[in-house]
Structure formats: structure tokens, C-alpha cells
């Protein structure tokens, strides 16, 4: 099979798989960011009891491979009566994993804001929560954008691990095409190129966000 025929055959399959991969990544990004923000707030505000629980969660999901987490959620949980479809299990694993990393990025940025900001809020009669919301969080978000973006770009590539639970995202679709065409080199290159384009697109979003959130001079 010549290259033109191979690309004509592979293009529709890879396009559908790319859209599914992008959907996985965006869903996990949104949910992971919400989860990470909640965990960061709990830990910064030192909510009794919950902060230790959140610390354990972050340690667990940062300290174990994503592939193992996928297996535990999809293959392990049914043994205790909890079962998810491949799509739900994939999004859940990605969300829990990236949420742990995003929480540390956000928490680190909040902690990096000087104590003077907290004291200024208190002097204005703001509670600790109000100071966090109106004074600390906006500044921390600006500081955290590069780190958050790196985690989210990494998430795009991590979606390839979901292929192990039979979700036809980009990597599994590529493998299935190879099994029928016996053309691994051009197809793997095509998949790599798609991942690269997606990562470059998110890098552009990162630069745009950095400009929008930049401190005024």
C-alpha cells in the first residue's frame, strides 16, 4: 500500500480518535482543575481533618503510575461492587491523577503569596476565606499558569494509556490500523504528529492566558 492510499484510509479513523482523545483531555482538564482547586483550598485554609485526607490523596495519586490507577479503577473496583464503563473509568482515572498535580501547583502558588497580603486583607476586615478569594487567589492563578499548563499538556499525552481498557482513542486506533495495514512506521509518525499538534495548540492557549493574566506594569 502506497503512502497516499494509507493516509486516505487512516485519516478518517485517526480524526475520530483524535476528537475522542481531545474530549477525554478536556473533560479531565475541567474536572481535574475543579478538584485540584478544591483540594488546594482545603489545604491552604487548613480545614481540620480534611487537610490530612487531601494530603493522603495527593501523595497516593502522585506516587503511583497512572497506568496502575487505570487498572485499579476499571479492573479492580468491580470486585468490590463498583463498576464503570471504559469511557467513565478513563475520564475518572485521568481526572483523579491530574487533579492531584494541579492541586499542588495551585497550593504552591497560594503559599508563595507573601504573608503581607493576608495581613492586608485582615486589616481591611476581610475573613481568611474572603482574603483568599479576593486577594490571594487572583495573584496565585497568575503565578500558577505555567505549571498548570505543563500538567494539562502532559494530560494530552497521558490519554494514550486509556487504550489499555479498550477505549478507541488515538493510540488504540493507530494500533488497530497497523494490525490491518502492516504499516507501523508512517502510522506511528502520524499519531506522534497529532499529539504534537495538540500540545502546540495548548501551548498557544497557555501564552494567551499568560498575557491576559499578566500583572499590569
Amino acid at each position: 500500500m502506497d503512502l497516499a492510499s494509507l493516509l486516505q484510509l487512516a485519516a478518517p479513523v485517526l480524526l475520530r480518535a483524535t476528537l475522542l482523545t481531545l474530549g477525554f483531555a478536556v473533560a479531565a482538564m475541567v474536572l481535574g482543575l475543579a478538584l485540584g482547586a478544591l483540594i488546594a483550598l482545603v489545604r491552604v485554609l487548613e480545614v481540620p481533618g480534611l487537610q490530612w485526607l487531601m494530603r493522603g490523596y495527593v501523595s497516593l495519586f502522585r506516587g503511583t503510575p497512572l497506568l496502575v490507577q487505570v487498572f485499579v479503577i476499571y479492573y479492580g473496583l468491580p470486585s468490590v461492587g463498583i463498576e464503570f464503563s471504559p469511557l467513565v473509568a478513563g475520564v475518572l482515572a485521568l481526572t483523579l491523577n491530574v487533579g492531584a498535580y494541579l492541586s499542588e501547583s495551585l497550593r504552591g502558588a497560594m503559599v508563595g503569596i507573601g504573608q503581607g497580603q493576608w495581613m492586608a486583607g485582615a486589616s481591611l476586615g476581610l475573613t481568611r476565606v474572603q482574603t483568599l478569594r479576593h486577594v490571594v487567589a487572583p495573584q496565585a492563578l497568575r503565578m500558577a499558569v505555567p505549571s498548570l499548563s505543563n500538567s494539562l499538556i502532559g494530560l494530552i499525552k497521558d490519554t494514550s494509556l486509556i487504550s489499555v481498557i479498550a477505549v478507541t482513542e488515538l493510540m488504540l486506533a493507530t494500533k488497530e490500523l497497523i494490525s490491518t495495514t502492516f504499516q507501523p512506521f508512517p502510522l506511528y509518525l502520524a499519531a506522534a504528529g497529532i499529539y504534537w499538534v495538540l500540545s502546540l495548540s495548548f501551548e498557544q492557549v497557555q501564552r494567551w492566558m499568560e498575557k491576559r493574566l499578566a500583572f499590569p506594569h
Side-chain angles (χ1 to χ4, degrees):
M1 182 181 294
D2 59 62
L3 184 59
S5 300
L6 178 63
L7 292 178
Q8 185 176 6
L9 172 67
V13 177
L14 293 180
L15 177 59
R16 287 194 297 270
T18 299
L19 293 176
L20 182 57
T21 295
L22 191 58
F24 261 113
V26 171
M29 285 177 189
V30 173
L31 296 173
L33 190 56
L35 178 61
L38 178 61
I39 294 169
L41 290 174
V42 167
R43 297 188 64 188
V44 169
L45 294 174
E46 299 179 344
V47 179
L50 284 180
Q51 63 168 325
W52 296 104
L53 181 62
M54 295 300 98
R55 181 178 293 182
Y57 159 79
V58 170
S59 176
L60 175 63
F61 279 88
R62 293 180 72 204
T64 56
L66 174 58
L67 186 58
V68 173
Q69 296 163 19
V70 172
F71 279 133
V72 169
I73 291 172
Y74 186 66
Y75 294 112
L77 289 182
S79 65
V80 294
I82 303 174
E83 189 169 352
F84 299 105
S85 68
L87 287 174
V88 173
V91 172
L92 180 59
L94 290 171
T95 297
L96 293 175
N97 182 271
V98 77
Y101 285 93
L102 296 178
S103 72
E104 284 298 277
S105 297
L106 290 169
R107 187 183 69 85
M110 292 179 191
V111 172
I113 303 298
Q115 284 297 316
Q117 300 292 317
W118 293 93
M119 295 173 64
S123 68
L124 293 173
L126 300 178
T127 65
R128 188 170 175 80
V129 173
Q130 289 173 329
T131 301
L132 177 61
R133 177 183 175 185
H134 297 291
V135 180
V136 174
Q139 298 178 66
L141 182 60
R142 294 184 178 99
M143 295 174 58
V145 165
S147 180
L148 293 176
S149 299
N150 288 336
S151 295
L152 298 178
I153 289 170
L155 180 61
I156 291 288
K157 294 172 282 187
D158 287 341
T159 57
S160 62
L161 296 176
I162 306 302
S163 63
V164 299
I165 56 175
V167 176
T168 312
E169 46 66 68
L170 181 56
M171 200 65 231
L172 183 57
T174 303
K175 291 177 181 177
E176 290 176 347
L177 283 169
I178 291 171
S179 69
T180 58
T181 62
F182 305 102
Q183 297 285 340
F185 187 63
L187 289 173
Y188 277 134
L189 280 181
I194 292 171
Y195 281 118
W196 187 28
V197 169
L198 291 176
S199 296
L200 288 175
S201 300
F202 279 95
E203 287 177 8
Q204 293 302 315
V205 173
Q206 172 190 344
R207 294 192 180 97
W208 176 80
M209 289 183 63
E210 288 177 343
K211 290 180 180 178
R212 287 294 303 269
L213 295 174
F215 287 104
H217 296 287

